[in-house]
Amino acid sequence: MVAGAHRAKRPARTSVWLEGKPRVRGRRHERPEQPPAAAGDPTALDRDRITEVSVRLLDAEGPEKFSMRRLASELGVTAMSLYWYVDTKDDLLELSLDHVFGEATVPEPEPVPEPVGATDEDWPGQLRALAASYRSVFVDHPWASPLIGKYLNIGPCATLFSNAVRSVVRRMGLPPRVQRGAISAVFQFVYGFGTIEGHYVQRCADAGLSQDEYYRLAMGTIDEQPGLRAAFASTGEPIEPRGASTVQEMRERDFEIALDLLVAGIEALRVRGAAATP
């Protein structure tokens, strides 16, 4: 009972980006008076380099093998020396998540059309570019998608991207009350699409196969199982990659069609709202 009550009083972790954030599980680490230097280079170790190496390890080995000890070994320092720069492994994961958001292409901010609610005719192309960049984050870094929601994701790169999305949505000509729904429709779709794609790419890499080889292997196995083959046939899903020559071509087509439908839906909503306005 005492242990349970003690756990209940532990402060929730907030974010590495917030000053004075509570420490996870109350752990405290004694920091040296001066930051440690990487082996052979007294100026090489800083939080940016630690984050870059963390991302590289996460890409290569996944989050399951990622640890402070493994990172320290890669950097050529002791594990305890990392605590001069970060408090916990969670801090490193949050820093790494924001780092990969920095790879997304963000357009230069543009003014909202006047009067407020007017439509910028370029918004579909801008939205598509942001959606493609968002997708690439999860395809290139499959470990990143499970961290969305686990952390606040309020770092500078993620905030820059979020602000760009909101800027484009404000130029769609939608009423303010439906703008958040438009963001959810597009970017929750992209999150799901990119997450599944990224995990598939990782699975193929782990198997030592190309995406097309893995697809043919999987579909061939399904074709050999009468029950599975019947289930796929009942949904109208052909065994071949749905008329495309490669898995990547199939995926690009599906992504573009889905975005077309979402853009058309947003446009229809905008027109409907404009028609209802006296």
Side-chain angles (χ1 to χ4, degrees), residues 34-112:
Q34 297 294 329
D41 188 349
T43 65
L45 191 62
D46 57 27
R47 199 165 78 164
D48 287 342
R49 182 172 180 237
I50 290 171
T51 302
E52 290 172 0
V53 175
S54 295
V55 169
R56 190 170 72 234
L57 285 176
L58 287 163
D59 287 344
E61 303 176 358
E64 295 80 9
K65 295 181 180 180
F66 183 75
S67 67
M68 301 290 267
R69 187 180 299 277
R70 176 71 183 89
L71 175 61
S73 175
E74 189 73 10
L75 288 164
V77 299
T78 65
M80 287 303 296
S81 67
L82 295 176
Y83 292 111
W84 201 92
Y85 301 94
V86 294
D87 289 341
T88 67
K89 176 181 172 180
D90 283 305
D91 287 355
L92 286 171
L93 291 173
E94 195 174 0
L95 289 166
S96 298
L97 179 61
D98 191 68
H99 182 88
V100 298
F101 265 86
E103 299 175 7
T105 302
V106 177
E108 290 295 325
E110 298 181 14
V112 177

Side-chain angles (χ1 to χ4, degrees), residues 195-216:
T195 295
I196 293 172
E197 180 180 3
H199 289 173
Y200 176 80
V201 171
Q202 185 65 58
R203 187 182 308 122
C204 294
D206 292 343
L209 299 172
S210 71
Q211 294 185 51
D212 293 337
E213 290 169 339
Y214 190 95
Y215 186 90
R216 286 192 293 269

Side-chain angles (χ1 to χ4, degrees), residues 37 51 66 72 81 88 99 101 105 108 116 120 123 132 135 144 160 166 172 186 188 194-195 198 201 212 229 253 259:
T51 302
F66 183 75
S81 67
T88 67
H99 182 88
F101 265 86
T105 302
E108 290 295 325
V116 175
D120 180 346
W123 70 262
R135 171 190 172 194
L160 182 65
R166 286 193 290 269
M172 290 176 176
V186 174
Q188 288 188 25
T195 295
V201 171
D212 293 337
R229 184 174 186 178
R253 185 186 61 192
L259 270 183

Side-chain angles (χ1 to χ4, degrees), residues 123 172-175 177-179 181-182 185 262-277:
W123 70 262
M172 290 176 176
L174 294 173
R177 63 184 177 82
V178 300
Q179 289 178 6
L262 288 167
V263 168
I266 291 170
E267 178 63 15
L269 190 64
R270 185 194 68 79
V271 171
R272 188 175 70 188
T277 302

